[in-house]
Amino acid sequence: MKWLIRIALVIAVLLVTATVVFLMRRGGALKSELGQPSSAEHLYVTWDTMEYDKCVSAWLIVRFIDANAQFVIVPQGTEVVKGIPFDIPGAAWSRKNRKCTSQCILESINNPGPAVRKIVSMAGEVELNFWQLDRWPDAQKCFYEVKAITDASTNPAECFEKTRPYFDQLYKDLKNKHESNTEAKEGKG
């Protein structure tokens, strides 16, 4: 009986994916959560493999690049024909030259500030130094907290929605910490 449920879920995922790809190829409108048609300029496409750096990248896009960003998540290996690809080999925003995807996106953000740089730095530590992550306890802690969210998510879109508040809070905490440290230094000077 369980195998029937699994087959049904796989078929449902394939049908949804095929519909999205069909709409993208024919230039049809994809609907956002508010029911507004999306345009290609606000459409960001990535593969369905969920990992820490991809979640950071999606958060960066929404918070610092495009507040109207909508995400389309396609099966790994799918050719992107419409939208802005990220975290896909060959995309402008993708892992390369010892930089993770979020580090490439960071280069597109004007004056990101120390809190954003710290979050992206931790993503780089997770992505590029995973087997030595215990050397970076802040990154290790965040990785396992985000992993718990991704593991509990039923699909990649839900994962992005659930990790966004996590990174919003992390950003707020790091920003407050930096401001407190700056005020303490100025008070000593």
Side-chain angles (χ1 to χ4, degrees):
M1 187 65 164
K2 285 185 179 180
W3 63 272
L4 280 174
I5 294 170
R6 288 183 180 157
I7 290 173
L9 286 172
V10 168
I11 291 171
V13 168
L14 290 173
L15 286 172
V16 168
T17 302
T19 302
V20 167
V21 170
F22 171 76
L23 287 172
M24 287 173 57
R25 286 200 173 152
R26 77 170 179 64
L30 294 173
K31 300 288 184 178
S32 72
E33 294 171 6
L34 301 175
Q36 301 298 317
S38 66
S39 69
E41 67 186 48
H42 298 291
L43 193 66
Y44 296 83
V45 185
T46 192
W47 289 348
D48 60 0
T49 52
M50 285 298 106
E51 58 188 16
Y52 187 84
D53 184 44
K54 188 174 299 210
C55 294
V56 172
S57 297
W59 175 77
L60 286 171
I61 290 168
V62 169
R63 294 297 182 240
F64 300 98
I65 303 286
D66 183 356
N68 296 313
Q70 297 176 37
F71 296 97
V72 173
I73 299 140
V74 297
Q76 186 171 353
T78 302
E79 178 185 0
V80 176
V81 295
K82 186 176 180 183
I84 301 165
F86 73 100
D87 202 32
I88 294 175
W93 290 339
S94 185
R95 182 178 175 173
K96 58 183 148 240
N97 302 328
R98 300 248 341 123
K99 287 184 181 176
C100 64
T101 300
S102 59
Q103 289 170 323
C104 293
I105 293 172
L106 182 68
E107 294 171 355
S108 300
I109 299 173
N110 193 15
N111 193 21
V116 173
R117 283 194 289 273
K118 177 65 175 173
I119 291 169
V120 171
S121 172
M122 288 190 296
E125 291 160 358
V126 167
E127 185 80 5
L128 303 173
N129 301 301
F130 184 78
W131 301 112
Q132 299 174 333
L133 202 51
D134 57 335
R135 294 173 60 192
W136 294 278
D138 290 343
Q140 185 178 42
K141 176 182 178 281
C142 291
F143 167 76
Y144 284 113
E145 290 173 351
V146 170
K147 184 171 180 4
I149 296 169
T150 60
D151 289 350
S153 298
T154 58
N155 60 60
E158 178 185 353
C159 179
F160 283 168
E161 290 302 314
K162 286 183 173 181
T163 56
R164 191 173 302 144
Y166 173 86
F167 289 113
D168 285 343
Q169 185 62 49
L170 180 61
Y171 171 73
K172 181 180 173 186
D173 293 346
L174 290 171
K175 189 174 178 182
N176 288 340
K177 182 178 178 180
H178 176 74
E179 289 170 357
S180 294
N181 289 342
T182 302
E183 289 172 4
K185 285 179 185 178
E186 289 173 357
K188 289 181 180 179

